[in-house]
Amino acid sequence: MQEGYDPAAIEPAAQQYWAERRAFAAREDPARPKFYCLSMFPYPSGRLHMGHVRNYTIGDVLARYMRMQGHNVLQPMGWDAFGLPAENAAISNRVPPAKWTRENIATMRTQMRALGFAIDWERELATCDPHYYRWNQWLFLRMRERGVAYRTTGVVNWDPVDQTVLANEQVIDGRGWRTGALIEKREIPMYYLNITRYADELLAALDALPGWPERVRVMQANWIGRSEGVEIAFPYAPDARAATGADAALRVFTTRADTLFGATFMAVAAEHPLALAAAKADARLAAFVEECRRGSVMEADVATQEKRGMPTGLHVLHPFTGAALPVWVANYVLMGYGEGAVMGVPAHDERDFEFALKHDLPIVTVVRSASGAYEEVRAPWIAAYAEYGATVNSGEFSGLGFEAAVDAIAAALEAKGLGRKRVHYRLRDWGISRQRYWGCPIPIIHCGACGEVPVPDEQLPVVLPEDLVPDGSGNPLAKTPAFYECRCPKCGGAARRETDTMDTFVDSSWYFLRYACADDERAMVDARVDYWLPTDQYIGGIEHAILHLLYSRFWTRVMRDMGLVKFAEPFTNLLTQGMVLNHIYSHQAPGERKRYFNPEDVDERRAADGSVTYEVDTPEHVTLAVEHEGLGTMSKSKGNGVDPEGIVKRFGADTARLFMMSASPPEQTLEWSGEGVQGAFRQIRRLWSAVYEHVAAGPAPAPAQLNEAQRVLRRLAHRRLAKATDDIGRRRNFNTAIAAMIEVLNAVKLFDDHSPAGRAVRQEALEIVTLVFSPVIPHVCHALWQALGKTRAVIDEPWPLPDPAALEQATHEIVVQVNGKLRGHVVVPVDADEETVRAAALADERVRRFVADKAVRRVIVVPGKLVNVVI
RNA sequence: GCCCCGAUGGCGGAACUGGUAGACGCGCCGGACUCAAAAUCCGGUUCUGGCGACAGAGUGUGGGUUCGAUUCCCUCUCGGGGCACCA
């Protein structure tokens, strides 16, 4: 063993040892409990960032811990390799996306290997590989046969920067999730996956996911957005019948059927058929409709947008009173939700109230307020009453509570054939067509004679040509006849291949299945999937709480319904790791662009009055005062990134891993700290020197009779082992497990006993520390384990068990309080009865001083913990 | 607007089931080693008063329950996140 800790030597040696033995190649073994430890695969953007390192370190610690616990562990890795950054890089560098992507994968794979993750690289996959994406295409065709995938023309979200369509889930605050560009509405034919068919199940099953964070389940539930209500048909009045030429009814959906008698107008979306019919005869209305259809997704307006509207001049009839209600076109009604029409109840809906005020529409109060008083809602001094209450002014339905009123009204409507109870979801079907090149081709051929024809299975995969270089104007596939010119599989005539590709979220919706059988050329999934899946632990960023995790749950259900897999939920336990933050420092010179500086280069100046300023020596050798802007995620634009490779080169992978795992619990944000990294390095070096000094004195003898100090050290080691096991195994709190081991290490460092028994106790303590630390800092522990005289590799050791005998003690300390305040400690035998403990507490000198001559009213004894004397 | 989460020393965090608040680390202070510095090692470090023994205060605010509250309940403040004309 070398005296000095040298990560540059021991880390490659440990990695080589694992690689030579294929130590992490996982094989199916029904005899052992399996543990499928999955981290979200990265997009190969170029280089690993700290977020990746944190994600994969958490997964790796768990994987290595479970392996030592006797599980058959699978920890795979792959690449989410299709996507727009590759195309954008291609446009600026004139390199095909395939080349750019594969080079990035190679770089990032090398970086990951240097971090020493226990990954089964034999199962590696990349979604841009035809061996992978052929199964996207295959399953898409099966979905199409079942009506789960379908093509339709509809209004879509168009990202003008990326020149493609986005799913609703990918539009955030009216902007593209990737580009931040304002989204436009366009009408395009595209393919959809019928995720709404599973809305009810996806929602209900959230309750059966106890291993998921509450937060994520709530977010998914909100996104699915189930609401129970009543669909009501308002028959057309003669004017509406004349305008549309149909004897029909205007359908609305409402969660407040109890307020039906308060409806004084109807509001429809600009795209609603009734609005379009009325606009034909009214130029001003037509202009308004056109305006609404074009602009209304403008993000900045959404919150403040005023309730604008115009009357259609048409009317519908109230289903019970027969009153003629005017139909308005209103900009606050969305065509995409419900029926694209609402009944306007100004007295009991804030939006309707606002609209009625503006357009001078009548307000009719039909719900009593909760206090029981009847308060008429009138403009402008009373606002809409949107709470529940008893109905009034509602004919035969008056005097009912909310539920009774809804039930009675729904039943009466159903009897008339004018309505029924219904459930609505906010969730929309998933549009997957993208007008982009670097993605999985949709396996469809458009034939002038036969229409839409699926590519026959035996012709799959439809291979994406890899040598195209996009120029930034539209989809290069649509400009490549060699790709799109083809023969119709049905009639043999000339046909055109679909040039849209699939949303990359399709690729990531099932990759976790494919790791189980990545080499199967004949089937998408096989029996090995049933062995490994569902994943026991999934680890990734909270940013995927809705998109990826919801799509994957849907996709797995589709495969279940096809009999391809036997489970519905792919991820049993989910851990959403916090982001990695760093300080942001900037300098704003007058008239210049703000400059950002890396925290690494910033010096702290502490003035005599305690105030702190920051300054930086610039590359041009000028000292600038910089401002501390607080913490933010590491980013190029803020200049606060830290390159993992640099940390590994300077300190080694173990230091990077230890810092990340010890600084905060995995779900919380992690503040990067240069001093913290140094501290982690220092701890490893302390561990190294403790083992070095110990083994330099020769082999440790077998344990013998122990004195008190030796028993204390041994007890501490076993106690902290028990705590660390619980912290990692149950609580997933790695930071406290690490703290517990540092405590043991500190005690070993202070333990100055070189007797044979002392050396035996120290040996055991160092073995415990090395074993418990080994999932976190595997390289150095690999070397230390050998140094401690072991022949088996530390990765093959079982997780240690605390020795109950070591934990035993004859006496223990009891806390004594007087009136709830800590006043003393007494040492009593562990088996002392309550009376003895009570007597000992009352006899304590400090306790007696505080009690003095006051009467003791009560003494509370908590066995093994404390005594509280109440005076 | 609605929903969720959070607030603990100079800093990151710990206290798991209502029972010693501040584990562990960082930083800082003092000491040892050194010609010196770095590294390393040892000691101290919630605040206030006191040389000290010790005493008092203290987990965002105000209240409640309890022998006892960082922990449970209510109020408010601040911070973070999610959803948002969703009928």
Side-chain angles (χ1 to χ4, degrees):
Chain A
M1 185 187 187
Q2 287 214 326
E3 184 174 356
Y5 166 56
D6 179 14
I10 62 171
E11 292 188 353
Q15 286 161 13
Q16 194 189 340
Y17 178 93
W18 301 326
E20 278 167 2
R21 281 158 187 79
R22 295 174 62 207
F24 306 119
R27 251 144 299 176
E28 297 70 32
D29 175 8
R32 276 191 297 162
K34 62 94 183 177
F35 189 82
Y36 182 2
C37 187
L38 178 71
S39 288
M40 290 183 186
F41 65 167
Y43 178 80
S45 53
R47 300 179 67 77
L48 237 44
H49 56 66
M50 282 298 174
H52 292 131
V53 178
R54 188 174 195 202
N55 193 155
Y56 304 138
T57 303
I58 293 167
D60 197 49
V61 173
L62 268 177
R64 288 172 178 271
Y65 168 77
M66 293 309 284
R67 177 193 175 104
M68 292 175 81
Q69 285 286 9
H71 287 74
N72 186 23
V73 174
L74 167 60
Q75 182 174 230
M77 187 51 69
W79 311 95
D80 189 11
F82 274 138
L84 285 166
E87 281 188 64
N88 293 337
I91 292 163
S92 37
N93 306 338
R94 304 246 179 86
V95 172
K99 185 172 186 296
W100 182 85
T101 302
R102 297 220 158 84
E103 284 171 2
N104 288 348
I105 288 175
T107 305
M108 291 171 76
R109 190 194 295 116
T110 304
Q111 291 185 311
M112 274 196 210
R113 284 181 182 275
L115 281 156
F117 299 133
I119 287 167
D120 180 357
W121 285 105
E122 295 170 28
R123 294 169 187 259
E124 179 182 356
L125 58 81
T127 57
C128 65
D129 183 345
H131 297 284
Y132 179 83
Y133 68 69
R134 70 172 293 182
W135 301 112
N136 283 2
Q137 297 173 345
W138 181 83
L139 199 80
F140 172 83
L141 294 176
R142 302 290 85 75
M143 286 183 175
R144 196 174 163 279
E145 287 158 8
R146 293 169 162 254
V148 175
Y150 62 92
R151 186 175 196 245
T152 190
T153 298
V155 181
V156 298
N157 307 301
W158 180 260
D159 186 320
V161 173
D162 276 348
Q163 298 264 307
T164 189
V165 161
L166 295 181
N168 279 353
E169 288 87 338
Q170 294 160 0
V171 180
I172 295 145
D173 291 336
R175 293 172 181 272
W177 70 287
R178 227 185 55 75
T179 62
L182 285 172
I183 296 306
E184 298 167 7
K185 285 182 181 176
R186 285 212 183 169
E187 248 175 78
I188 312 188
M190 56 183 273
Y191 286 93
Y192 289 85
L193 301 186
N194 189 198
I195 190 171
T196 53
R197 186 188 288 189
Y198 291 86
D200 214 5
E201 192 194 336
L202 287 168
L203 179 69
L206 286 173
D207 291 334
L209 285 174
W212 281 38
E214 171 75 15
R215 203 155 66 107
V216 176
R217 285 185 285 159
V218 167
M219 281 165 71
Q220 290 215 351
N222 289 342
W223 188 263
I224 295 167
R226 183 180 203 270
S227 56
E228 287 179 20
V230 180
E231 183 187 293
I232 303 176
F234 290 74
Y236 283 176
D239 55 9
R241 280 205 295 264
T244 59
D247 184 8
L250 177 62
R251 289 181 188 283
V252 303
F253 175 75
T254 179
T255 54
R256 291 301 302 271
D258 60 317
T259 65
L260 176 55
F261 284 75
T264 57
F265 68 96
M266 307 299 288
V268 300
E271 299 92 340
H272 194 279
L274 205 51
L276 299 178
K280 275 185 203 152
D282 184 340
R284 278 185 58 210
L285 184 63
F288 178 68
V289 165
E290 194 43 48
E291 194 191 330
C292 290
R293 290 179 62 182
R294 247 186 296 118
S296 68
V297 228
M298 288 301 194
E299 178 258 352
D301 305 335
V302 164
T304 51
Q305 205 169 29
E306 61 175 335
K307 305 273 173 290
R308 297 178 56 214
M310 275 187 80
T312 60
L314 308 178
H315 295 78
V316 294
L317 306 175
H318 191 284
F320 291 115
T321 68
L325 304 173
V327 178
W328 286 65
V329 177
N331 64 346
Y332 70 95
V333 181
L334 307 175
M335 195 58 213
Y337 188 82
E339 303 292 337
V342 299
M343 62 178 196
V345 185
H348 305 293
D349 181 281
E350 278 174 38
R351 292 154 305 174
D352 296 345
F353 182 75
E354 200 186 312
F355 192 80
L357 282 192
K358 190 160 182 338
H359 299 288
D360 211 16
L361 293 159
I363 298 170
V364 177
T365 308
V366 293
V367 176
R368 225 179 253 283
S369 72
S371 65
Y374 171 77
E375 286 179 81
E376 197 173 329
V377 177
R378 273 178 302 177
W381 60 88
I382 300 176
Y385 179 74
E387 312 295 309
Y388 293 152
T391 49
V392 290
N393 296 336
S394 297
E396 58 183 298
F397 305 105
S398 293
L400 298 174
F402 168 72
E403 273 174 46
V406 170
D407 287 348
I409 287 170
L413 285 170
E414 192 148 15
K416 285 169 173 269
L418 290 177
R420 65 194 170 96
K421 282 201 170 181
R422 256 187 81 178
V423 173
H424 251 291
Y425 296 94
R426 209 185 75 103
L427 186 69
R428 314 277 75 186
D429 273 350
W430 175 17
I432 59 158
S433 295
R434 296 291 180 270
Q435 293 68 43
R436 301 300 309 200
Y437 159 51
W438 190 234
C440 169
I442 294 173
I444 294 289
I445 288 165
H446 300 282
C447 169
C450 311
E452 202 190 326
V453 182
V455 173
D457 282 358
E458 60 274 13
Q459 289 176 27
L460 295 182
V462 175
V463 176
L464 185 74
E466 293 201 353
D467 52 355
L468 303 185
V469 181
D471 58 8
S473 66
N475 183 352
L477 291 176
K479 295 182 249 173
T480 307
F483 177 75
Y484 66 72
E485 281 178 357
C486 63
R487 292 270 146 201
C488 171
K490 250 191 202 164
C491 67
R496 185 182 167 96
R497 192 180 294 284
E498 172 72 51
T499 56
D500 283 357
T501 53
M502 295 184 196
D503 181 1
T504 56
F505 279 98
V506 170
D507 310 327
S508 55
S509 289
W510 67 281
Y511 75 104
F512 43 89
L513 304 175
R514 190 63 183 173
Y515 282 135
C517 57
D519 58 357
D520 194 330
E521 289 295 321
R522 290 173 312 185
M524 184 178 188
V525 288
D526 60 33
R528 292 173 289 175
V529 171
D530 288 317
Y531 173 79
W532 288 111
L533 275 286
T535 44
D536 298 279
Q537 183 69 59
Y538 197 24
I539 303 146
I542 185 75
E543 65 272 21
H544 293 108
I546 296 171
L547 298 172
H548 162 60
L549 291 170
L550 189 61
Y551 292 149
S552 297
R553 296 180 64 223
F554 156 68
W555 192 279
T556 305
R557 281 175 167 77
V558 171
M559 290 183 70
R560 174 203 61 191
D561 290 347
M562 291 177 188
L564 293 168
V565 298
K566 293 180 176 144
F567 48 90
E569 289 296 344
F571 315 120
T572 305
N573 294 294
L574 174 68
L575 192 155
T576 50
Q577 104 264 7
M579 293 181 298
V580 183
L581 309 181
N582 202 357
H583 294 272
I584 301 169
Y585 295 97
S586 64
H587 177 81
Q588 176 75 71
E592 280 178 38
R593 260 182 80 181
K594 192 188 255 186
R595 281 176 75 180
Y596 287 95
F597 295 94
N598 196 290
E600 182 96 315
D601 304 323
V602 174
D603 293 316
E604 193 180 286
R605 290 286 137 89
R606 208 175 281 270
D609 63 352
S611 64
V612 177
T613 54
Y614 303 94
E615 55 185 51
V616 70
D617 290 321
T618 66
E620 53 274 19
H621 304 292
V622 180
T623 302
L624 284 180
V626 292
E627 194 191 333
H628 183 218
E629 292 190 11
L631 290 160
T633 50
M634 288 186 179
S635 72
K636 269 196 190 121
S637 61
K638 302 279 177 180
N640 63 345
V642 178
D643 182 22
E645 201 174 303
I647 297 294
V648 171
K649 286 213 169 98
R650 267 174 73 192
F651 299 100
D654 284 335
T655 293
R657 296 169 58 117
L658 180 61
F659 169 71
M660 300 224 126
M661 299 307 285
S662 64
S664 67
E667 309 237 49
Q668 276 185 39
T669 55
L670 179 130
E671 284 182 29
W672 189 261
S673 153
E675 289 89 359
V677 175
Q678 302 258 10
F681 184 72
R682 191 176 305 139
Q683 294 308 326
I684 296 174
R685 207 161 44 186
R686 290 180 75 226
L687 173 61
W688 182 276
S689 71
V691 172
Y692 177 81
E693 283 161 22
H694 172 69
V695 301
Q705 201 62 28
L706 302 185
N707 66 26
E708 181 58 19
Q710 293 157 355
R711 274 203 302 275
V712 167
L713 177 60
R714 182 154 198 264
R715 184 155 63 229
L716 179 77
H718 283 266
R719 268 205 191 152
R720 292 300 176 264
L721 164 61
K723 176 180 166 53
T725 304
D726 187 51
D727 284 348
I728 298 175
R730 180 178 64 88
R731 302 173 66 207
R732 306 276 137 96
N733 273 8
F734 310 101
N735 54 328
T736 50
I738 290 165
M741 285 306 109
I742 292 178
E743 264 189 90
V744 177
L745 178 59
N746 289 344
V748 167
K749 286 263 179 186
L750 293 175
F751 186 67
D752 195 26
D753 180 345
H754 300 285
S755 70
R759 299 202 61 245
V761 170
R762 187 185 295 104
Q763 170 83 21
E764 188 190 16
L766 286 171
E767 283 180 15
I768 287 173
V769 173
T770 303
L771 288 170
V772 173
F773 260 141
S774 69
V776 182
I777 45 175
H779 308 93
V780 66
C781 291
H782 177 81
L784 291 176
W785 196 243
Q786 289 174 341
L788 285 165
K790 307 293 178 178
T791 47
R792 194 157 53 172
V794 73
I795 53 163
D796 295 321
E797 292 291 342
W799 190 259
L801 285 172
D803 178 2
L807 301 176
E808 265 173 33
Q809 48 186 339
T811 59
H812 61 184
E813 199 178 64
I814 299 279
V815 170
V816 187
Q817 299 178 331
V818 177
N819 282 353
K821 291 202 169 172
L822 176 69
R823 294 303 178 194
H825 303 269
V826 291
V827 174
V828 297
V830 279
D831 53 0
D833 60 19
E834 247 182 61
E835 199 43 53
T836 317
V837 174
R838 181 193 158 106
L842 289 170
D844 182 78
E845 198 202 321
R846 268 181 78 201
V847 173
R848 277 163 66 184
R849 198 147 48 86
F850 276 91
V851 173
D853 54 351
K854 296 175 198 95
V856 173
R857 273 212 229 142
R858 225 175 126 185
V859 179
I860 287 148
V861 179
V862 182
K865 284 242 165 98
L866 96 174
V867 176
N868 189 11
V869 181
V870 186
I871 55 172

